[in-house]
Amino acid sequence: MAEQIYDAIIVGSGAGGGMATHQLANAGLKVALIEAGDFYDPADEEQRTQLRYPWESPRRGASTRLRPFGDYNSCIGGWELDGEPYTQKDDTEFMWWRGRMLGGRTNHWGRISLRFGPLDFKRKDIDGLGDNWPIGYEDISPYYDKVDKLIGIFGSNEGLYNDPDGYFLPAPKPRLHELYYIDGARKSNVPVIPARKSILTKRINNDRGICFYCGQCSRACGIHADFSSSTVLIYPSLNGGQVDLLTNSMVREVITDEEGMATGVRYVNKRNQREYELKGRTVILAASACSTARILLNSKSGQHESGLGNNSDNVGRYLHDSTGASRAAFLPDLMDRDIYNEDGVGGMHVYSPWWLEGANLDFTRGYHLEIGGGMGMPSYGFGFAVNQYNQYLGDRVGGYGNQLRDDIRKFYGARLSIACRGESIPQYTNRCELDPTVVDEWGIPVLRFDYKWTQHEINQARHMQDTMEELLEASGGIVLGNKPGADQNYGLTQPGEIIHEVGTTRMGTDPSTSVTNEFGQLHDVKNVFVADAGTFVSQADKNPTWTILALAWRTSDYIIDQMKQRNL
Amino acid sequence: MNRRETLKSLFLAPLAGTVIASSGCGTIASNNASRITWARLPTEYSYGRTDVEKLTDQRLFAETYFREHELVTIAVLCDIILPNNHPNGGALDAGLPDFVEFMVKDREQYKLPVRGGIAWLDSYSIEKFGPDFINISEAQRLSICNEIAYPDNQAPKLQAGISFFSLMRNLTLTGYYTTELGFRDLDYMGNTPNVWDGVPEAVLRRHGKYYDEDWLSKCIDQSTRDIVAEWDDDMNLVT
Ligand SMILES: Cc1cc2nc3c(=O)[nH]c(=O)nc-3n(C[C@H](O)[C@H](O)[C@H](O)COP(=O)(O)OP(=O)(O)OC[C@H]3O[C@@H](n4cnc5c(N)ncnc54)[C@H](O)[C@@H]3O)c2cc1C
Ligand code: SF4
């Protein structure tokens, strides 16, 4: 492998890296895909967690430090990685979720797949805050179309201007608690439509299975009926002989020549702790927004003293995450319900997109509502506070003995919850940077976060709380817990907690205020590209991944084109 | 499987504090001892673990945290919370003491509350009746449980006992309902491949809900799920 010079070295195998690999390999380029985590396949019996019963785990699916979202969750990684710390500046409490596995976080993501709308690329024009993207919806929509068809997504065409239609598979029918929500939302004049998720309710090709409704996408699908970068994009690419996959390989930096052009990457082989170099004509960073910023900042050289692509001092800046808040209610109408299998697809079947565009509010960006509830499979935590809802029925809480079986039955599935996900306003001062003193176990300087919400996000969270209360009550629910007040930022999540971190290498036309051009190409180094959410100028009131995929495809087309024209 | 091999017995002495384990050997040090017996849970699992996780779990299984007396007290409490006298079995049939032991080792935050809770219970029992909790009569045990099983009991003196009992109730129910017995008790129907086609008609009627035509037109007709999707150029699915 020593003398091999790849056409493209792709760093990171998540959404962006998977798409770049798929497109570039299909175009006949010789690709090295380099991933810090191990090989992972949910169909491999050694790694499978799907369809396991709770008693197959000694902790019955409870979370651990190593599996923060539960023992069966298909994330190798989480909020903490042994040997790979990150630090906080001042009183910042940024939460950073990292997946270390082939496919990255697309193994265990929620599969909620939302296109950004026309307004989402031009927010500055509307409220004067942040910046516009250098591209508009018309530039990306052909790629959304192609992503829809290649990967498969269910949803419905609603003709909503800022929640554009797509090439959808039909949606699954709502479950009972969702029918309650639909009625409640309609009563409150909040739109509610079928969810949009990259799960195959219908066949799209003969390689992948069709969803069999186990509700366990967060465990990754053994028949590949949901989208993971590994199962849908990378495995097929491995067959053509164009891709060399290097797992357990942690990229330290991009290496450059005297002219400042990239010649490849330097990485640590985690199996033997030794460093190696890989040579390539182009380097495509898709290690996730913050990790990509870290690699760039660590790629210091004579030509690039403050890190690669960082002449503008913009790498790591404008880091922003979605806002979030959530609430739950007890639905007395669902007490003592009939029991049947309603696992459905993983997560919600219905949701509410933002409905107050242009309304006069004390914040300017929107949010959408994600709906939860139902008769899920018991796992650790089931039966806790078994009959607490008795307090609403005038019955006594607590007790012991066989009567508890009746309580379990009575309250099983009698719950409705809402989670809001909103758009925040990117800030120059919110950033990740290199910690001057701390390194990881391979001696690579780690990231330090510096992030504060602004009043916009806090006001938005207050609005979320009012909305959730109104909708839960309109659905027939008794809202649980106390409404968080100003002292708790109205229940606003921590920065990073929603795991939609974007913006660290934002695109733009002006090299002094942005890191890449509209194709993810570094302004400063033309053979280095970013293909993850780092390039986002603003994170809409949508989830980011469908846009990462579309942009990575667009970047790939550009690279192929530039190579044809001999510009690369 | 030989049921005997899957049971664990500990002796519950009627008087004084000594409790002797039988764990395989037949020696009984106390006359009159009654047994408390529960199903053993496996100590080896295979469910998609990484090497680091395998080591963590092995370490947990190798660790001993509870003293025999504590384990017996846990067993007695779990049995009160969800007794075996039911067609779907109870806490001891579901191996609760083993489960509680594992969870307490797994979650540092449980260690002290459970150990301290047991000590609180014994102290309260001794104060009230003389012997510790496992050595008082069943009626006496239940009289203590009646005091600490209900969070609305405001007596300051009982608050520590009440929160301990709530914790034990949580662990017992979670431990039971995550076993095959619990699944049967609940009639849980999921975790199996199926084709979801909406809420059953009778259930919809019972709840006064229905699927409106517009919404249904956006949903999958399950008879077409295996037909490869194709669209026209206007985003309309045509298959
Ligand atoms: C629980 C959860 C639910 C989510 N739900 C949704 C949702 O419903 N909808 C949505 O749109 N988004 C969702 N997301 C977010 C989504 O997962 C991410 O947006 C997406 O995976 C990001 O893709 P990426 O390519 O940027 O990076 P990632 O998927 O994070 O992949 C990056 C890869 O790069 C590797 N890497 C990092 N550093 C290096 C290095 N130095 N050298 C080599 N390799 C490296 C990592 O190991 C990793 O495999 C969710 C995330 C989580 C965790
Ligand atoms: S719900 Fe469907 S797509 Fe998701 S894991 Fe289960 S079978 Fe796969």
Side-chain angles (χ1 to χ4, degrees), chain A residues 107-157:
Chain A
N107 287 292
H108 47 274
W109 70 306
R111 274 83 182 178
I112 299 169
S113 303
L114 304 177
R115 294 180 177 213
F116 285 14
L119 304 177
D120 296 322
F121 295 94
K122 304 291 169 198
R123 283 285 164 198
K124 186 177 187 179
D125 287 347
I126 301 167
D127 64 14
L129 300 169
D131 276 293
N132 290 333
W133 291 59
I135 56 171
Y137 182 70
E138 62 286 359
D139 297 305
I140 195 174
S141 75
Y143 289 96
Y144 281 138
D145 291 352
K146 292 198 266 191
V147 172
D148 287 356
K149 289 179 184 167
L150 176 72
I151 291 179
I153 170 176
F154 72 72
S156 58
N157 286 334

Coordinates of all heavy atoms in Angstrom, one line a residue, chain A residues 107-157:
Chain A
N107 N -25.6 4.7 12.4 CA -26.1 3.4 12.8 C -27.2 3.5 13.8 O -28.1 2.6 13.9 CB -24.9 2.6 13.5 CG -23.9 2.1 12.5 OD1 -24.2 1.2 11.7 ND2 -22.7 2.7 12.5
H108 N -27.2 4.5 14.6 CA -28.2 4.6 15.7 C -29.0 5.9 15.7 O -29.7 6.2 16.6 CB -27.4 4.5 17.0 CG -26.2 5.3 17.1 ND1 -25.0 5.0 16.6 CD2 -26.1 6.6 17.6 CE1 -24.2 5.9 16.8 NE2 -24.8 6.9 17.3
W109 N -28.9 6.6 14.6 CA -29.7 7.9 14.5 C -31.2 7.6 14.4 O -31.6 6.5 14.2 CB -29.1 8.7 13.3 CG -29.5 8.2 12.0 CD1 -29.2 7.0 11.5 CD2 -30.1 8.9 10.9 NE1 -29.6 6.9 10.2 CE2 -30.2 8.1 9.8 CE3 -30.6 10.2 10.8 CZ2 -30.8 8.4 8.6 CZ3 -31.2 10.6 9.6 CH2 -31.3 9.7 8.5
G110 N -31.9 8.7 14.5 CA -33.4 8.5 14.5 C -34.1 8.3 13.2 O -35.3 8.1 13.1
R111 N -33.3 8.4 12.1 CA -33.8 8.3 10.7 C -34.9 9.3 10.3 O -35.6 9.1 9.3 CB -34.4 6.9 10.5 CG -33.4 5.8 10.1 CD -32.6 5.2 11.2 NE -31.6 4.3 10.9 CZ -30.8 3.7 11.7 NH1 -30.9 3.9 13.0 NH2 -29.9 2.8 11.3
I112 N -35.0 10.4 11.1 CA -35.9 11.5 10.7 C -35.2 12.2 9.6 O -34.1 12.7 9.8 CB -36.2 12.4 11.9 CG1 -36.9 11.6 13.0 CG2 -37.1 13.6 11.5 CD1 -37.0 12.3 14.3
S113 N -35.8 12.3 8.4 CA -35.0 12.7 7.3 C -35.8 13.9 6.6 O -36.7 13.7 5.8 CB -34.9 11.6 6.3 OG -34.2 10.5 6.9
L114 N -35.4 15.1 7.0 CA -36.2 16.3 6.5 C -35.3 17.1 5.6 O -34.2 17.5 5.9 CB -36.6 17.1 7.7 CG -37.4 16.4 8.8 CD1 -37.6 17.3 10.0 CD2 -38.7 15.8 8.3
R115 N -35.9 17.5 4.4 CA -35.2 18.4 3.6 C -35.3 19.8 4.2 O -36.3 20.1 4.9 CB -36.0 18.5 2.2 CG -36.0 17.3 1.4 CD -36.8 17.6 0.1 NE -36.7 16.4 -0.7 CZ -36.7 16.4 -2.1 NH1 -36.8 17.6 -2.7 NH2 -36.5 15.3 -2.8
F116 N -34.3 20.6 4.0 CA -34.4 22.0 4.4 C -35.3 22.7 3.3 O -35.3 22.2 2.2 CB -33.0 22.7 4.4 CG -32.2 22.4 5.6 CD1 -32.4 21.3 6.4 CD2 -31.0 23.2 5.8 CE1 -31.6 21.0 7.5 CE2 -30.2 22.9 6.9 CZ -30.5 21.8 7.7
G117 N -36.0 23.7 3.7 CA -36.8 24.4 2.7 C -36.1 25.7 2.2 O -35.1 26.1 2.6
P118 N -36.8 26.3 1.2 CA -36.2 27.5 0.5 C -35.8 28.6 1.5 O -34.8 29.2 1.4 CB -37.3 28.0 -0.4 CG -38.1 26.8 -0.7 CD -38.0 25.9 0.5
L119 N -36.6 28.8 2.6 CA -36.3 29.9 3.5 C -35.1 29.6 4.4 O -34.4 30.4 4.9 CB -37.5 30.1 4.5 CG -38.9 30.4 3.8 CD1 -40.0 30.5 4.8 CD2 -38.8 31.7 3.0
D120 N -34.9 28.3 4.5 CA -33.8 27.9 5.5 C -32.4 28.2 5.0 O -31.5 28.3 5.7 CB -33.9 26.3 5.7 CG -35.2 26.0 6.4 OD1 -35.6 26.7 7.3 OD2 -35.7 24.9 6.1
F121 N -32.3 28.5 3.7 CA -31.0 28.9 3.1 C -30.8 30.4 3.1 O -29.7 30.9 2.8 CB -30.8 28.3 1.7 CG -30.8 26.8 1.7 CD1 -32.0 26.1 1.4 CD2 -29.6 26.1 1.9 CE1 -32.0 24.7 1.4 CE2 -29.6 24.7 1.9 CZ -30.8 24.0 1.7
K122 N -31.8 31.1 3.4 CA -31.8 32.6 3.3 C -32.3 33.3 4.6 O -33.1 34.2 4.5 CB -32.6 33.0 2.1 CG -32.1 32.4 0.8 CD -30.7 32.8 0.3 CE -30.2 32.0 -0.8 NZ -28.8 32.1 -1.0
R123 N -32.0 32.8 5.7 CA -32.6 33.3 6.9 C -32.2 34.7 7.2 O -33.0 35.5 7.8 CB -32.2 32.4 8.1 CG -33.0 31.1 8.2 CD -34.4 31.4 8.7 NE -35.3 30.2 8.4 CZ -36.6 30.3 8.4 NH1 -37.2 31.4 8.6 NH2 -37.3 29.2 8.1
K124 N -31.0 35.1 6.8 CA -30.6 36.5 7.1 C -31.5 37.5 6.4 O -31.8 38.5 6.9 CB -29.1 36.7 6.7 CG -28.6 38.1 7.1 CD -27.2 38.3 6.8 CE -26.7 39.6 7.4 NZ -25.3 39.9 7.1
D125 N -31.9 37.1 5.2 CA -32.8 38.0 4.4 C -34.1 38.2 5.2 O -34.7 39.2 5.0 CB -33.1 37.3 3.0 CG -32.0 37.4 2.1 OD1 -31.0 38.1 2.4 OD2 -32.0 36.7 1.0
I126 N -34.5 37.2 6.0 CA -35.8 37.3 6.7 C -35.6 38.0 8.0 O -36.4 38.9 8.3 CB -36.3 35.9 6.8 CG1 -36.5 35.2 5.5 CG2 -37.7 36.0 7.6 CD1 -36.8 33.7 5.5
D127 N -34.7 37.6 8.8 CA -34.6 38.2 10.2 C -33.3 39.0 10.4 O -33.1 39.5 11.5 CB -34.9 37.2 11.2 CG -33.8 36.1 11.3 OD1 -32.7 36.3 10.7 OD2 -34.0 35.1 11.9
G128 N -32.4 39.1 9.4 CA -31.2 39.9 9.6 C -30.2 39.2 10.5 O -29.1 39.8 10.8
L129 N -30.4 38.0 11.0 CA -29.5 37.4 11.9 C -28.7 36.3 11.2 O -29.2 35.7 10.2 CB -30.3 36.7 13.0 CG -31.1 37.7 13.9 CD1 -32.0 37.0 14.8 CD2 -30.2 38.6 14.7
G130 N -27.5 36.1 11.7 CA -26.7 35.0 11.1 C -26.3 35.4 9.6 O -26.1 36.6 9.3
D131 N -26.2 34.4 8.8 CA -25.9 34.6 7.4 C -26.7 33.7 6.4 O -27.2 32.7 6.8 CB -24.4 34.3 7.2 CG -23.5 35.5 7.6 OD1 -23.6 36.5 6.9 OD2 -22.8 35.4 8.6
N132 N -26.8 34.2 5.2 CA -27.4 33.3 4.2 C -26.4 32.3 3.7 O -25.2 32.5 3.8 CB -27.7 34.2 2.9 CG -28.9 35.1 3.2 OD1 -29.7 34.8 4.1 ND2 -29.0 36.2 2.5
W133 N -26.9 31.2 3.2 CA -26.0 30.2 2.5 C -25.7 30.8 1.2 O -26.4 31.6 0.6 CB -26.8 28.9 2.3 CG -27.1 28.1 3.6 CD1 -27.8 28.5 4.6 CD2 -26.7 26.7 3.8 NE1 -27.9 27.4 5.5 CE2 -27.3 26.3 5.0 CE3 -26.0 25.8 3.1 CZ2 -27.1 25.1 5.6 CZ3 -25.9 24.5 3.6 CH2 -26.4 24.2 4.8
P134 N -24.5 30.3 0.6 CA -24.2 30.8 -0.7 C -25.1 30.0 -1.8 O -25.0 30.4 -3.0 CB -22.7 30.4 -0.9 CG -22.5 29.3 0.1 CD -23.5 29.5 1.2
I135 N -25.8 29.0 -1.4 CA -26.7 28.3 -2.3 C -28.1 28.4 -1.8 O -28.4 28.9 -0.7 CB -26.3 26.8 -2.4 CG1 -26.4 26.2 -1.0 CG2 -25.0 26.6 -3.0 CD1 -26.3 24.6 -1.0
G136 N -29.0 28.1 -2.7 CA -30.4 28.1 -2.4 C -31.0 26.8 -2.6 O -30.4 25.8 -3.0
Y137 N -32.3 26.7 -2.3 CA -33.0 25.4 -2.4 C -32.9 24.8 -3.8 O -32.7 23.6 -3.9 CB -34.5 25.5 -2.0 CG -35.2 24.2 -2.0 CD1 -34.9 23.2 -1.1 CD2 -36.1 23.9 -3.0 CE1 -35.5 22.0 -1.1 CE2 -36.8 22.7 -3.1 CZ -36.4 21.7 -2.1 OH -37.1 20.5 -2.2
E138 N -32.9 25.7 -4.8 CA -32.9 25.2 -6.2 C -31.6 24.5 -6.5 O -31.5 23.6 -7.3 CB -33.2 26.3 -7.2 CG -32.2 27.5 -7.2 CD -32.3 28.4 -5.9 OE1 -33.2 28.2 -5.1 OE2 -31.5 29.3 -5.8
D139 N -30.5 24.8 -5.8 CA -29.2 24.2 -6.0 C -29.2 22.8 -5.4 O -28.5 21.9 -5.9 CB -28.1 25.0 -5.4 CG -28.0 26.4 -6.0 OD1 -27.9 26.4 -7.2 OD2 -28.0 27.4 -5.3
I140 N -29.9 22.6 -4.3 CA -29.7 21.3 -3.6 C -30.9 20.4 -3.9 O -30.8 19.2 -3.8 CB -29.6 21.6 -2.1 CG1 -29.1 20.3 -1.3 CG2 -30.9 22.1 -1.5 CD1 -28.8 20.5 0.1
S141 N -32.0 20.9 -4.4 CA -33.2 20.0 -4.5 C -33.0 18.9 -5.5 O -33.4 17.8 -5.2 CB -34.4 20.8 -4.9 OG -34.4 21.2 -6.2
P142 N -32.2 19.0 -6.6 CA -32.0 17.8 -7.4 C -31.2 16.7 -6.6 O -31.4 15.6 -6.9 CB -31.1 18.4 -8.5 CG -31.2 19.8 -8.5 CD -31.6 20.2 -7.1
Y143 N -30.4 17.2 -5.7 CA -29.7 16.2 -4.9 C -30.6 15.5 -3.8 O -30.5 14.3 -3.6 CB -28.4 16.8 -4.3 CG -27.4 17.1 -5.3 CD1 -27.3 18.3 -5.9 CD2 -26.6 16.1 -5.8 CE1 -26.4 18.6 -6.9 CE2 -25.7 16.3 -6.8 CZ -25.6 17.6 -7.4 OH -24.7 17.8 -8.4
Y144 N -31.4 16.3 -3.2 CA -32.4 15.7 -2.3 C -33.2 14.6 -3.1 O -33.5 13.6 -2.6 CB -33.4 16.8 -1.8 CG -32.9 17.6 -0.7 CD1 -33.2 19.0 -0.7 CD2 -32.3 17.1 0.4 CE1 -32.9 19.8 0.4 CE2 -31.9 18.0 1.5 CZ -32.2 19.3 1.5 OH -31.9 20.1 2.5
D145 N -33.6 15.0 -4.3 CA -34.4 14.0 -5.1 C -33.6 12.7 -5.3 O -34.2 11.6 -5.1 CB -34.7 14.6 -6.6 CG -35.6 15.8 -6.5 OD1 -36.2 16.1 -5.4 OD2 -35.8 16.4 -7.6
K146 N -32.3 12.9 -5.6 CA -31.5 11.7 -5.9 C -31.3 10.9 -4.6 O -31.3 9.6 -4.6 CB -30.2 12.1 -6.5 CG -30.3 12.6 -7.9 CD -29.0 12.6 -8.6 CE -28.3 13.9 -8.5 NZ -27.1 14.0 -9.4
V147 N -31.1 11.6 -3.5 CA -31.0 10.9 -2.2 C -32.2 10.1 -1.9 O -32.2 9.0 -1.4 CB -30.6 11.9 -1.1 CG1 -30.6 11.2 0.3 CG2 -29.2 12.5 -1.4
D148 N -33.4 10.8 -2.0 CA -34.6 10.1 -1.8 C -34.7 8.7 -2.5 O -35.0 7.7 -1.9 CB -35.8 10.9 -2.3 CG -36.1 12.2 -1.4 OD1 -35.5 12.3 -0.4 OD2 -37.0 12.9 -1.8
K149 N -34.4 8.8 -3.8 CA -34.5 7.6 -4.6 C -33.5 6.5 -4.3 O -33.8 5.3 -4.3 CB -34.5 7.9 -6.1 CG -35.7 8.7 -6.5 CD -35.6 9.0 -8.0 CE -36.7 9.9 -8.5 NZ -36.5 10.5 -9.8
L150 N -32.2 7.0 -4.0 CA -31.2 6.0 -3.8 C -31.4 5.3 -2.4 O -31.2 4.1 -2.3 CB -29.8 6.7 -3.8 CG -28.6 5.8 -3.4 CD1 -28.3 4.8 -4.6 CD2 -27.4 6.7 -3.1
I151 N -31.7 6.1 -1.4 CA -31.7 5.6 -0.1 C -33.1 5.1 0.4 O -33.2 4.1 1.1 CB -31.2 6.7 0.9 CG1 -29.7 6.9 0.6 CG2 -31.4 6.3 2.3 CD1 -29.0 7.9 1.5
G152 N -34.1 5.8 -0.1 CA -35.5 5.4 0.3 C -35.9 6.2 1.6 O -35.2 6.2 2.6
I153 N -37.1 6.7 1.5 CA -37.6 7.5 2.6 C -39.2 7.5 2.5 O -39.7 7.6 1.4 CB -37.1 9.0 2.5 CG1 -37.8 9.9 3.5 CG2 -37.2 9.6 1.1 CD1 -37.3 11.3 3.5
F154 N -39.8 7.3 3.7 CA -41.3 7.4 3.6 C -41.7 8.8 4.1 O -41.0 9.5 4.8 CB -42.0 6.3 4.4 CG -41.9 6.4 5.9 CD1 -42.6 7.3 6.6 CD2 -41.1 5.5 6.6 CE1 -42.6 7.4 8.0 CE2 -41.1 5.5 8.0 CZ -41.8 6.5 8.7
G155 N -42.9 9.2 3.7 CA -43.4 10.5 4.0 C -44.6 10.8 3.1 O -45.2 9.9 2.5
S156 N -45.0 12.1 3.0 CA -46.1 12.4 2.2 C -45.9 13.8 1.6 O -45.3 14.6 2.2 CB -47.4 12.4 3.1 OG -47.2 13.3 4.1
N157 N -46.4 13.9 0.4 CA -46.3 15.2 -0.3 C -47.5 16.1 0.2 O -48.7 15.8 0.0 CB -46.4 15.1 -1.8 CG -45.0 14.5 -2.3 OD1 -44.0 14.7 -1.6 ND2 -45.1 13.8 -3.4

